[in-house]
Coordinates of all heavy atoms in Angstrom, one line a residue:
N1433 N 0.8 -1.2 0.0 CA 0.0 0.0 0.0 C 0.9 1.2 0.0 O 2.0 1.3 0.6 CB -0.9 0.0 1.3 CG -2.0 -1.0 1.2 OD1 -2.3 -1.5 0.2 ND2 -2.6 -1.2 2.3
V1434 N 0.4 2.3 -0.6 CA 1.0 3.6 -0.6 C 0.1 4.6 0.1 O -1.1 4.6 -0.2 CB 1.4 4.0 -2.1 CG1 2.0 5.4 -2.1 CG2 2.3 3.0 -2.7
S1435 N 0.7 5.3 1.0 CA -0.1 6.3 1.7 C 0.5 7.7 1.4 O 1.7 7.9 1.4 CB 0.0 6.1 3.2 OG -0.6 7.1 3.9
C1436 N -0.4 8.6 1.0 CA 0.0 10.0 0.6 C -0.7 11.0 1.5 O -1.9 11.0 1.7 CB -0.3 10.2 -0.9 SG 0.5 9.0 -1.9
K1437 N 0.1 12.0 1.9 CA -0.4 13.0 2.8 C -1.1 14.3 2.1 O -1.9 14.9 2.6 CB 0.7 13.6 3.7 CG 1.2 12.5 4.7 CD 2.2 13.1 5.6 CE 2.7 12.1 6.5 NZ 3.9 12.5 7.4
S1438 N -0.7 14.4 0.8 CA -1.1 15.6 0.0 C -1.7 15.2 -1.2 O -1.1 14.4 -2.0 CB 0.0 16.6 -0.2 OG -0.4 17.7 -0.9
W1439 N -2.9 15.7 -1.6 CA -3.6 15.4 -2.9 C -4.0 16.8 -3.5 O -4.7 17.6 -2.9 CB -4.8 14.6 -2.6 CG -4.5 13.2 -2.1 CD1 -4.2 12.9 -0.8 CD2 -4.4 12.0 -2.9 NE1 -4.0 11.5 -0.7 CE2 -4.0 11.0 -2.0 CE3 -4.5 11.7 -4.2 CZ2 -3.8 9.7 -2.4 CZ3 -4.3 10.5 -4.6 CH2 -4.0 9.5 -3.7
T1440 N -3.6 16.9 -4.8 CA -3.9 18.2 -5.5 C -4.8 17.8 -6.7 O -4.5 17.0 -7.5 CB -2.7 18.8 -6.0 OG1 -1.8 19.1 -5.0 CG2 -3.0 20.1 -6.8
A1441 N -6.0 18.4 -6.7 CA -7.0 18.1 -7.8 C -6.4 18.8 -9.1 O -6.0 19.9 -9.0 CB -8.4 18.7 -7.4
L1442 N -6.5 18.1 -10.2 CA -5.9 18.6 -11.4 C -7.1 18.9 -12.4 O -6.8 19.2 -13.6 CB -5.0 17.6 -12.0 CG -3.7 17.3 -11.2 CD1 -2.9 16.2 -11.8 CD2 -2.9 18.6 -11.0
G1443 N -8.3 18.8 -12.0 CA -9.4 19.1 -12.9 C -10.5 18.1 -13.0 O -10.5 17.1 -12.2
K1444 N -11.4 18.2 -13.9 CA -12.5 17.3 -14.2 C -12.6 17.2 -15.7 O -12.8 18.3 -16.3 CB -13.7 17.7 -13.5 CG -15.0 17.0 -13.8 CD -16.1 17.6 -13.1 CE -17.4 16.8 -13.5 NZ -18.6 17.4 -12.9
F1445 N -12.6 16.0 -16.3 CA -12.6 15.9 -17.8 C -13.5 14.8 -18.2 O -13.5 13.7 -17.6 CB -11.2 15.6 -18.3 CG -10.2 16.7 -17.9 CD1 -9.5 16.5 -16.8 CD2 -10.0 17.8 -18.7 CE1 -8.5 17.5 -16.4 CE2 -9.1 18.8 -18.2 CZ -8.4 18.6 -17.1
R1446 N -14.3 15.0 -19.3 CA -15.2 14.0 -19.8 C -14.3 12.9 -20.5 O -13.4 13.1 -21.1 CB -16.1 14.5 -20.8 CG -17.3 15.2 -20.3 CD -18.5 14.7 -21.1 NE -19.6 15.6 -20.6 CZ -20.5 15.2 -19.8 NH1 -20.4 13.9 -19.3 NH2 -21.5 16.0 -19.4
T1447 N -14.7 11.6 -20.3 CA -14.0 10.5 -20.9 C -14.9 10.0 -22.1 O -14.3 9.2 -22.9 CB -13.8 9.4 -19.9 OG1 -15.0 8.9 -19.4 CG2 -12.9 9.8 -18.8
D1448 N -16.1 10.3 -22.2 CA -16.9 9.8 -23.3 C -17.8 11.0 -23.8 O -19.0 11.1 -23.5 CB -17.8 8.7 -22.8 CG -18.5 8.0 -23.9 OD1 -18.6 8.5 -25.1 OD2 -19.1 7.0 -23.6
V1449 N -17.2 11.9 -24.5 CA -17.9 13.1 -24.9 C -19.1 12.9 -25.8 O -20.1 13.6 -25.6 CB -16.8 14.1 -25.7 CG1 -17.5 15.3 -26.2 CG2 -15.7 14.5 -24.7
N1450 N -19.0 12.0 -26.7 CA -20.1 11.8 -27.7 C -21.4 11.4 -27.0 O -22.5 11.8 -27.5 CB -19.7 10.7 -28.7 CG -18.6 11.2 -29.7 OD1 -18.5 12.4 -29.9 ND2 -17.9 10.3 -30.3
R1451 N -21.3 10.6 -26.0 CA -22.5 10.1 -25.3 C -22.8 10.9 -24.0 O -23.7 10.6 -23.3 CB -22.4 8.7 -25.0 CG -22.5 7.8 -26.3 CD -22.3 6.4 -26.1 NE -20.9 6.2 -25.7 CZ -20.2 5.1 -26.0 NH1 -20.8 4.2 -26.6 NH2 -19.0 5.0 -25.7
G1452 N -21.8 11.8 -23.6 CA -22.0 12.6 -22.4 C -21.9 11.8 -21.1 O -22.5 12.1 -20.1
M1453 N -21.1 10.7 -21.2 CA -20.9 9.8 -20.0 C -19.5 9.8 -19.6 O -18.6 10.0 -20.3 CB -21.4 8.5 -20.4 CG -22.8 8.4 -20.8 SD -23.2 6.8 -21.5 CE -22.9 5.7 -20.1
G1454 N -19.3 9.5 -18.3 CA -17.9 9.3 -17.8 C -17.1 10.5 -17.5 O -17.1 11.4 -18.4
W1455 N -16.5 10.6 -16.4 CA -15.6 11.6 -16.0 C -14.4 11.1 -15.4 O -14.4 10.0 -14.8 CB -16.2 12.6 -15.0 CG -17.4 13.3 -15.4 CD1 -18.7 12.9 -15.4 CD2 -17.4 14.6 -16.1 NE1 -19.6 13.9 -15.9 CE2 -18.8 14.9 -16.3 CE3 -16.4 15.5 -16.4 CZ2 -19.1 16.1 -16.9 CZ3 -16.8 16.7 -17.0 CH2 -18.2 17.0 -17.3
V1456 N -13.2 11.8 -15.6 CA -12.0 11.5 -14.9 C -11.7 12.7 -14.0 O -11.9 13.8 -14.4 CB -10.8 11.1 -15.8 CG1 -10.5 12.3 -16.7 CG2 -9.6 10.6 -15.1
H1457 N -11.4 12.4 -12.8 CA -10.9 13.5 -11.8 C -9.5 13.2 -11.4 O -9.2 12.4 -10.4 CB -11.8 13.4 -10.6 CG -13.3 13.6 -10.8 ND1 -13.9 14.8 -10.7 CD2 -14.3 12.8 -11.2 CE1 -15.2 14.8 -11.0 NE2 -15.4 13.5 -11.4
P1458 N -8.6 13.7 -12.2 CA -7.2 13.4 -11.8 C -6.6 14.2 -10.6 O -7.1 15.3 -10.4 CB -6.4 13.8 -13.1 CG -7.3 14.9 -13.7 CD -8.7 14.5 -13.4
F1459 N -5.8 13.5 -9.9 CA -5.1 14.1 -8.7 C -3.6 13.9 -8.8 O -3.2 12.9 -9.3 CB -5.7 13.5 -7.4 CG -7.0 13.9 -7.1 CD1 -8.1 13.2 -7.7 CD2 -7.3 14.9 -6.2 CE1 -9.4 13.5 -7.4 CE2 -8.6 15.2 -5.9 CZ -9.6 14.6 -6.4
L1460 N -2.9 14.8 -8.2 CA -1.5 14.6 -8.0 C -1.2 14.3 -6.5 O -1.6 15.1 -5.7 CB -0.7 15.9 -8.4 CG 0.8 15.9 -8.0 CD1 1.6 14.8 -8.8 CD2 1.4 17.2 -8.4
A1461 N -0.7 13.1 -6.2 CA -0.5 12.7 -4.8 C 1.0 13.0 -4.5 O 1.9 12.7 -5.3 CB -0.8 11.2 -4.7
S1462 N 1.2 13.6 -3.4 CA 2.6 13.8 -3.0 C 2.8 13.5 -1.5 O 1.9 13.3 -0.8 CB 3.0 15.3 -3.3 OG 2.1 16.2 -2.7
D1463 N 4.1 13.6 -1.1 CA 4.5 13.2 0.3 C 4.0 11.8 0.5 O 3.3 11.6 1.5 CB 4.0 14.3 1.3 CG 4.6 14.1 2.6 OD1 5.6 13.4 2.7 OD2 4.2 14.8 3.5
C1464 N 4.4 10.9 -0.3 CA 3.9 9.5 -0.3 C 4.9 8.6 0.3 O 6.2 8.8 0.2 CB 3.6 9.0 -1.6 SG 2.3 10.0 -2.4
N1465 N 4.5 7.6 1.0 CA 5.3 6.6 1.6 C 4.6 5.2 1.5 O 3.4 5.1 1.4 CB 5.6 6.8 3.1 CG 6.3 8.1 3.4 OD1 7.5 8.2 3.0 ND2 5.7 9.1 4.0
Y1466 N 5.4 4.2 1.5 CA 4.8 2.8 1.6 C 4.3 2.6 2.9 O 4.8 3.1 3.9 CB 5.9 1.7 1.2 CG 6.2 1.7 -0.2 CD1 7.4 2.3 -0.6 CD2 5.4 1.1 -1.1 CE1 7.8 2.3 -2.0 CE2 5.8 1.0 -2.5 CZ 7.0 1.6 -2.9 OH 7.3 1.6 -4.2
S1467 N 3.1 2.0 3.0 CA 2.5 1.8 4.3 C 2.0 0.3 4.4 O 1.7 -0.4 3.5 CB 1.2 2.7 4.3 OG 0.4 2.4 5.5
T1468 N 2.1 -0.2 5.7 CA 1.6 -1.5 5.9 C 0.2 -1.5 6.5 O -0.4 -2.5 6.8 CB 2.5 -2.2 6.9 OG1 2.6 -1.5 8.2 CG2 3.9 -2.4 6.3
I1469 N -0.4 -0.2 6.7 CA -1.7 -0.1 7.2 C -2.7 -0.4 6.2 O -2.7 0.2 5.1 CB -1.9 1.3 7.8 CG1 -0.9 1.6 8.9 CG2 -3.3 1.6 8.3 CD1 -0.9 3.1 9.4
H1470 N -3.7 -1.2 6.4 CA -4.7 -1.5 5.5 C -6.1 -0.8 6.0 O -6.4 -0.9 7.1 CB -5.0 -3.0 5.4 CG -3.8 -3.7 4.9 ND1 -3.5 -3.8 3.6 CD2 -2.8 -4.4 5.5 CE1 -2.4 -4.5 3.4 NE2 -1.9 -4.9 4.6
S1471 N -6.8 -0.3 5.0 CA -8.0 0.4 5.3 C -9.1 -0.7 5.6 O -8.9 -1.8 5.2 CB -8.5 1.3 4.2 OG -8.9 0.6 3.1
S1472 N -10.2 -0.3 6.1 CA -11.3 -1.2 6.4 C -11.9 -1.7 5.1 O -12.6 -2.7 5.0 CB -12.4 -0.6 7.3 OG -12.9 0.6 6.6
E1473 N -11.7 -0.9 4.0 CA -12.2 -1.4 2.7 C -11.4 -2.5 2.1 O -11.9 -3.2 1.2 CB -12.1 -0.2 1.7 CG -13.1 1.0 2.1 CD -12.9 2.2 1.2 OE1 -11.7 2.4 0.8 OE2 -13.9 2.8 0.9
N1474 N -10.2 -2.7 2.6 CA -9.3 -3.7 2.0 C -9.4 -5.0 3.0 O -8.6 -5.2 3.8 CB -7.9 -3.2 1.9 CG -7.0 -4.1 1.2 OD1 -7.5 -5.1 0.6 ND2 -5.7 -3.9 1.2
N1475 N -10.4 -5.8 2.7 CA -10.6 -7.0 3.6 C -10.3 -8.2 2.9 O -10.0 -8.2 1.7 CB -12.0 -6.9 4.2 CG -13.1 -6.8 3.2 OD1 -13.0 -7.3 2.1 ND2 -14.1 -6.0 3.4
E1476 N -10.4 -9.4 3.6 CA -10.0 -10.7 3.0 C -11.0 -11.3 2.1 O -10.6 -12.2 1.4 CB -9.8 -11.6 4.2 CG -8.7 -11.2 5.2 CD -7.4 -11.2 4.5 OE1 -7.0 -12.1 3.8 OE2 -6.6 -10.2 4.8
D1477 N -12.2 -10.8 1.9 CA -13.2 -11.5 1.1 C -13.2 -11.0 -0.4 O -14.2 -11.2 -1.1 CB -14.6 -11.4 1.7 CG -15.1 -10.0 1.8 OD1 -14.4 -9.1 1.3 OD2 -16.2 -9.8 2.3
G1478 N -12.2 -10.3 -0.8 CA -12.1 -9.9 -2.2 C -12.9 -8.6 -2.5 O -13.1 -8.3 -3.7
N1479 N -13.4 -7.9 -1.5 CA -14.1 -6.7 -1.7 C -13.2 -5.5 -1.6 O -13.7 -4.3 -1.4 CB -15.2 -6.5 -0.7 CG -16.3 -7.5 -1.0 OD1 -16.6 -7.9 -2.1 ND2 -17.0 -8.0 0.1
A1480 N -11.8 -5.6 -1.7 CA -10.9 -4.5 -1.7 C -11.3 -3.5 -2.8 O -11.7 -3.9 -3.9 CB -9.5 -5.0 -1.8
V1481 N -11.0 -2.3 -2.6 CA -11.1 -1.3 -3.6 C -10.3 -1.6 -4.8 O -9.1 -2.0 -4.6 CB -10.7 0.2 -3.0 CG1 -10.8 1.1 -4.2 CG2 -11.7 0.6 -2.0
G1482 N -10.9 -1.7 -6.0 CA -10.2 -2.1 -7.2 C -10.1 -3.5 -7.4 O -9.5 -4.0 -8.4
A1483 N -10.6 -4.4 -6.5 CA -10.4 -5.8 -6.6 C -10.9 -6.4 -7.8 O -10.4 -7.4 -8.4 CB -11.0 -6.5 -5.4
H1484 N -12.0 -5.8 -8.4 CA -12.7 -6.3 -9.6 C -12.4 -5.6 -10.8 O -13.0 -5.7 -11.9 CB -14.2 -6.3 -9.3 CG -14.6 -7.1 -8.2 ND1 -14.5 -8.5 -8.1 CD2 -15.0 -6.8 -6.9 CE1 -14.9 -9.0 -6.9 NE2 -15.1 -7.9 -6.2
D1485 N -11.3 -4.7 -10.8 CA -10.9 -3.9 -11.9 C -10.4 -4.9 -13.0 O -9.7 -5.9 -12.6 CB -9.8 -2.9 -11.6 CG -10.3 -1.6 -11.0 OD1 -11.6 -1.5 -11.0 OD2 -9.5 -0.8 -10.5
M1486 N -10.6 -4.6 -14.3 CA -10.1 -5.5 -15.3 C -8.6 -5.2 -15.6 O -7.9 -6.0 -16.2 CB -10.9 -5.2 -16.6 CG -12.4 -5.5 -16.4 SD -12.7 -7.3 -15.9 CE -12.3 -8.1 -17.4
E1487 N -8.2 -4.0 -15.2 CA -6.8 -3.6 -15.5 C -5.9 -3.9 -14.4 O -6.1 -3.5 -13.2 CB -6.8 -2.1 -15.8 CG -5.4 -1.6 -16.2 CD -5.4 -0.1 -16.4 OE1 -6.4 0.6 -16.0 OE2 -4.4 0.4 -16.8
L1488 N -4.8 -4.7 -14.6 CA -3.8 -4.9 -13.6 C -3.0 -3.7 -13.3 O -2.6 -3.0 -14.2 CB -2.9 -6.0 -14.1 CG -1.8 -6.4 -13.1 CD1 -2.3 -7.0 -11.8 CD2 -0.8 -7.4 -13.7
Q1489 N -2.9 -3.3 -12.0 CA -2.2 -2.1 -11.7 C -1.1 -2.5 -10.7 O -1.2 -3.3 -9.8 CB -3.0 -1.1 -11.1 CG -4.1 -0.6 -12.0 CD -5.0 0.5 -11.3 OE1 -4.7 1.0 -10.3 NE2 -6.1 0.8 -12.0
K1490 N 0.1 -1.9 -10.9 CA 1.3 -2.2 -10.1 C 1.9 -0.8 -9.6 O 1.9 0.1 -10.4 CB 2.4 -3.0 -10.9 CG 1.9 -4.3 -11.3 CD 3.2 -4.9 -12.1 CE 2.7 -6.2 -12.7 NZ 3.7 -6.7 -13.6
V1491 N 2.3 -0.7 -8.4 CA 3.1 0.4 -8.0 C 4.4 0.4 -8.5 O 5.2 -0.7 -8.3 CB 3.1 0.5 -6.4 CG1 3.9 1.7 -6.0 CG2 1.6 0.6 -5.9
R1492 N 4.9 1.4 -9.2 CA 6.2 1.5 -9.8 C 6.9 2.8 -9.3 O 6.3 3.8 -9.3 CB 6.2 1.5 -11.3 CG 5.7 0.2 -11.9 CD 5.8 0.2 -13.3 NE 7.2 0.4 -13.8 CZ 7.6 0.6 -15.0 NH1 6.6 0.6 -16.0 NH2 8.8 0.8 -15.4
S1493 N 8.2 2.7 -8.9 CA 8.9 3.9 -8.6 C 9.6 4.4 -9.9 O 10.4 3.5 -10.5 CB 9.9 3.6 -7.5 OG 9.2 3.3 -6.3
M1494 N 9.5 5.6 -10.2 CA 10.1 6.2 -11.4 C 10.6 7.6 -11.0 O 9.9 8.3 -10.3 CB 9.1 6.3 -12.5 CG 8.6 5.0 -13.0 SD 7.2 5.2 -14.2 CE 8.2 5.7 -15.7
T1495 N 11.8 8.0 -11.5 CA 12.2 9.4 -11.3 C 11.4 10.3 -12.3 O 10.7 9.8 -13.2 CB 13.7 9.5 -11.8 OG1 13.8 9.2 -13.2 CG2 14.6 8.5 -11.0
L1496 N 11.4 11.5 -12.0 CA 10.7 12.5 -12.8 C 11.2 12.4 -14.3 O 10.4 12.5 -15.2 CB 10.8 13.9 -12.3 CG 9.9 15.0 -12.8 CD1 8.4 14.6 -12.8 CD2 10.1 16.3 -12.1
D1497 N 12.5 12.3 -14.5 CA 13.0 12.1 -15.9 C 12.5 10.9 -16.5 O 12.2 10.9 -17.7 CB 14.6 12.1 -15.8 CG 15.1 13.5 -15.6 OD1 14.4 14.5 -15.8 OD2 16.3 13.6 -15.1
E1498 N 12.4 9.8 -15.8 CA 11.8 8.6 -16.3 C 10.3 8.7 -16.7 O 9.9 8.3 -17.8 CB 12.0 7.4 -15.4 CG 13.4 6.9 -15.2 CD 13.5 5.9 -14.1 OE1 12.8 6.0 -13.1 OE2 14.5 5.1 -14.2
V1499 N 9.6 9.5 -15.9 CA 8.1 9.7 -16.2 C 8.0 10.6 -17.4 O 7.2 10.3 -18.3 CB 7.4 10.3 -15.0 CG1 6.0 10.8 -15.3 CG2 7.4 9.4 -13.8
R1500 N 8.9 11.6 -17.5 CA 8.9 12.5 -18.6 C 9.1 11.8 -19.9 O 8.4 11.9 -20.9 CB 9.9 13.6 -18.4 CG 9.8 14.7 -19.5 CD 10.8 15.8 -19.2 NE 10.5 16.6 -18.0 CZ 11.2 16.6 -16.9 NH1 12.3 15.9 -16.8 NH2 10.8 17.3 -15.8
A1501 N 10.2 10.9 -19.9 CA 10.5 10.1 -21.1 C 9.3 9.2 -21.5 O 9.0 9.0 -22.6 CB 11.8 9.3 -20.8
A1502 N 8.7 8.6 -20.5 CA 7.6 7.6 -20.7 C 6.4 8.4 -21.4 O 5.8 7.9 -22.3 CB 7.1 6.9 -19.5
V1503 N 6.1 9.6 -20.9 CA 5.1 10.4 -21.5 C 5.4 10.7 -23.0 O 4.6 10.6 -23.9 CB 4.9 11.8 -20.7 CG1 4.0 12.7 -21.5 CG2 4.3 11.5 -19.4
M1504 N 6.6 11.2 -23.2 CA 7.1 11.5 -24.6 C 7.1 10.3 -25.5 O 6.9 10.5 -26.7 CB 8.4 12.2 -24.5 CG 8.4 13.6 -23.8 SD 7.1 14.7 -24.3 CE 7.7 15.1 -25.9
E1505 N 7.3 9.1 -25.0 CA 7.4 7.9 -25.8 C 6.0 7.2 -26.0 O 5.9 6.2 -26.5 CB 8.4 7.0 -25.2 CG 9.8 7.5 -25.3 CD 10.8 6.6 -24.4 OE1 10.4 5.5 -23.9 OE2 11.9 7.1 -24.2
G1506 N 5.0 7.8 -25.3 CA 3.6 7.3 -25.5 C 3.5 6.0 -24.7 O 2.6 5.1 -25.1
K1507 N 4.1 5.9 -23.6 CA 4.1 4.7 -22.8 C 2.7 4.5 -21.9 O 2.4 3.5 -21.6 CB 5.2 4.6 -21.8 CG 6.6 4.5 -22.5 CD 6.8 3.2 -23.1 CE 8.2 3.2 -23.7 NZ 8.6 1.9 -24.2
F1508 N 2.1 5.7 -21.7 CA 0.8 5.7 -21.0 C -0.3 5.6 -22.1 O -0.6 6.6 -22.7 CB 0.7 6.9 -20.1 CG 1.7 7.1 -19.0 CD1 2.8 7.8 -19.2 CD2 1.5 6.4 -17.9 CE1 3.8 7.9 -18.2 CE2 2.5 6.5 -16.8 CZ 3.6 7.2 -17.1
L1509 N -0.8 4.4 -22.3 CA -1.6 4.1 -23.4 C -3.0 4.6 -23.3 O -3.7 4.9 -24.3 CB -1.6 2.6 -23.8 CG -0.2 2.1 -24.1 CD1 -0.2 0.6 -24.3 CD2 0.4 2.9 -25.3
E1510 N -3.6 4.5 -22.1 CA -5.0 5.0 -21.9 C -5.0 6.5 -21.7 O -4.2 7.1 -20.9 CB -5.6 4.3 -20.7 CG -7.1 4.4 -20.6 CD -7.7 3.5 -19.6 OE1 -7.2 2.4 -19.3 OE2 -8.7 3.9 -19.0
V1511 N -6.0 7.1 -22.3 CA -6.0 8.6 -22.3 C -6.2 9.1 -20.9 O -5.6 10.2 -20.6 CB -7.2 9.2 -23.2 CG1 -8.6 8.8 -22.6 CG2 -7.1 10.6 -23.5
Q1512 N -6.9 8.5 -20.0 CA -7.0 9.0 -18.6 C -5.6 9.1 -18.0 O -5.4 10.0 -17.2 CB -8.0 8.1 -17.8 CG -9.4 8.3 -18.2 CD -9.8 7.2 -19.2 OE1 -9.0 6.7 -20.0 NE2 -11.1 6.9 -19.2
W1513 N -4.8 8.1 -18.2 CA -3.5 8.0 -17.6 C -2.6 9.1 -18.2 O -1.9 9.8 -17.5 CB -2.8 6.7 -17.7 CG -3.5 5.6 -16.8 CD1 -4.2 4.5 -17.3 CD2 -3.6 5.6 -15.4 NE1 -4.7 3.8 -16.1 CE2 -4.3 4.5 -15.0 CE3 -3.1 6.5 -14.4 CZ2 -4.6 4.2 -13.6 CZ3 -3.4 6.1 -13.1 CH2 -4.1 5.0 -12.7
S1514 N -2.6 9.1 -19.6 CA -1.7 10.1 -20.2 C -2.1 11.5 -19.8 O -1.2 12.3 -19.6 CB -1.7 9.9 -21.7 OG -2.9 10.0 -22.3
N1515 N -3.4 11.8 -19.7 CA -3.9 13.1 -19.3 C -3.5 13.4 -17.9 O -2.9 14.5 -17.6 CB -5.4 13.1 -19.4 CG -6.1 14.4 -18.9 OD1 -5.8 15.4 -19.4 ND2 -6.9 14.2 -17.9
T1516 N -3.6 12.5 -17.0 CA -3.3 12.7 -15.6 C -1.8 13.0 -15.4 O -1.4 13.9 -14.7 CB -3.7 11.5 -14.7 OG1 -5.2 11.3 -14.8 CG2 -3.3 11.6 -13.3
V1517 N -0.9 12.2 -16.1 CA 0.5 12.3 -15.9 C 1.0 13.6 -16.5 O 1.7 14.3 -15.9 CB 1.2 11.1 -16.6 CG1 2.7 11.3 -16.6 CG2 0.9 9.8 -15.8
A1518 N 0.4 14.0 -17.7 CA 0.8 15.3 -18.3 C 0.4 16.4 -17.5 O 1.2 17.4 -17.3 CB 0.3 15.3 -19.7
L1519 N -0.8 16.4 -16.9 CA -1.3 17.5 -16.1 C -0.4 17.6 -14.8 O -0.1 18.7 -14.4 CB -2.7 17.3 -15.7 CG -3.7 17.6 -16.8 CD1 -5.1 17.1 -16.4 CD2 -3.8 19.1 -17.1
A1520 N -0.1 16.5 -14.2 CA 0.8 16.4 -13.1 C 2.2 17.1 -13.4 O 2.7 17.8 -12.5 CB 0.9 15.0 -12.5
M1521 N 2.7 16.7 -14.5 CA 4.0 17.3 -14.9 C 3.9 18.8 -15.1 O 4.8 19.5 -14.7 CB 4.5 16.5 -16.1 CG 4.9 15.1 -15.7 SD 5.8 14.3 -17.0 CE 7.3 15.1 -16.8
L1522 N 2.8 19.2 -15.7 CA 2.7 20.7 -15.9 C 2.5 21.4 -14.6 O 3.0 22.5 -14.3 CB 1.4 21.0 -16.8 CG 1.6 20.6 -18.2 CD1 0.2 20.7 -19.0 CD2 2.6 21.6 -18.9
H1523 N 1.8 20.7 -13.6 CA 1.6 21.3 -12.3 C 2.9 21.4 -11.6 O 3.3 22.5 -11.0 CB 0.6 20.5 -11.5 CG 0.4 21.0 -10.1 ND1 -0.4 22.0 -9.8 CD2 1.0 20.6 -8.9 CE1 -0.4 22.2 -8.5 NE2 0.5 21.4 -8.0
L1524 N 3.7 20.4 -11.6 CA 5.1 20.4 -10.9 C 6.0 21.4 -11.6 O 6.7 22.1 -10.9 CB 5.7 19.0 -11.0 CG 5.0 17.9 -10.2 CD1 5.6 16.6 -10.5 CD2 5.1 18.2 -8.7
A1525 N 5.9 21.6 -12.9 CA 6.7 22.6 -13.6 C 6.4 23.9 -13.2 O 7.2 24.8 -13.0 CB 6.6 22.4 -15.2
G1526 N 5.1 24.2 -13.0 CA 4.6 25.5 -12.5 C 5.1 25.8 -11.1 O 5.4 27.0 -10.8
E1527 N 5.1 24.8 -10.3 CA 5.6 24.9 -8.9 C 7.1 25.4 -8.9 O 7.5 26.2 -8.1 CB 5.4 23.7 -8.1 CG 4.0 23.4 -7.6 CD 4.0 22.2 -6.7 OE1 4.9 21.4 -6.7 OE2 2.9 22.0 -6.1
S1528 N 7.8 24.8 -9.8 CA 9.3 25.0 -9.8 C 9.6 26.4 -10.3 O 10.7 26.9 -10.1 CB 10.0 24.0 -10.5 OG 9.7 24.0 -11.9
T1529 N 8.7 27.1 -11.0 CA 9.0 28.4 -11.6 C 8.4 29.5 -10.8 O 8.7 30.6 -11.0 CB 8.4 28.5 -13.0 OG1 7.0 28.3 -13.0 CG2 9.1 27.5 -14.0
S1530 N 7.6 29.2 -9.7 CA 7.0 30.2 -8.9 C 7.8 30.4 -7.7 O 8.7 29.8 -7.3 CB 5.6 29.8 -8.6 OG 5.4 28.6 -8.1

């Protein structure tokens, strides 16, 4: 598990414009650490948050340069992920110039 102390909202975007359905609410999580604490939602009977997702997700550690390269190489294949990562990078770039 990863536990983060700070969450910055990056906007609200439609994921299915033609039918007017679906939204993505991207966030930038910061001040994160690995945690051994499990929430009450993460229990033994398979009802953990995301347990029934079709997409396999893994926690990966990447430097900012590695993330930047992955964005530029099109490694984030789903639009919600590429949008979120690009917005987070723009947010971080704005912080470093202010």
Side-chain angles (χ1 to χ4, degrees):
N1433 288 343
V1434 176
S1435 176
C1436 303
K1437 293 181 182 175
S1438 178
W1439 294 84
T1440 302
L1442 298 174
K1444 176 183 174 184
F1445 304 91
R1446 278 225 190 261
T1447 58
D1448 189 351
V1449 175
N1450 290 337
R1451 292 176 287 214
M1453 301 170 58
W1455 292 92
V1456 63
H1457 298 265
F1459 288 84
L1460 172 62
S1462 56
D1463 196 9
C1464 302
N1465 295 294
Y1466 287 101
S1467 171
T1468 57
I1469 299 171
H1470 297 279
S1471 71
S1472 60
E1473 294 173 323
N1474 190 8
N1475 52 37
E1476 298 295 321
D1477 65 359
N1479 289 327
V1481 173
H1484 301 289
D1485 281 351
M1486 299 302 285
E1487 179 183 10
L1488 177 63
Q1489 296 182 12
K1490 298 178 189 174
V1491 175
R1492 293 185 58 188
S1493 295
M1494 299 171 73
T1495 66
L1496 192 53
D1497 286 339
E1498 290 170 331
V1499 173
R1500 185 177 296 110
V1503 169
M1504 298 306 293
E1505 294 168 10
K1507 300 286 185 175
F1508 297 97
L1509 300 178
E1510 190 169 332
V1511 70
Q1512 290 94 331
W1513 289 115
S1514 57
N1515 175 62
T1516 298
V1517 173
L1519 286 169
M1521 295 192 69
L1522 288 169
H1523 179 83
L1524 292 171
E1527 282 184 347
S1528 66
T1529 59
S1530 52

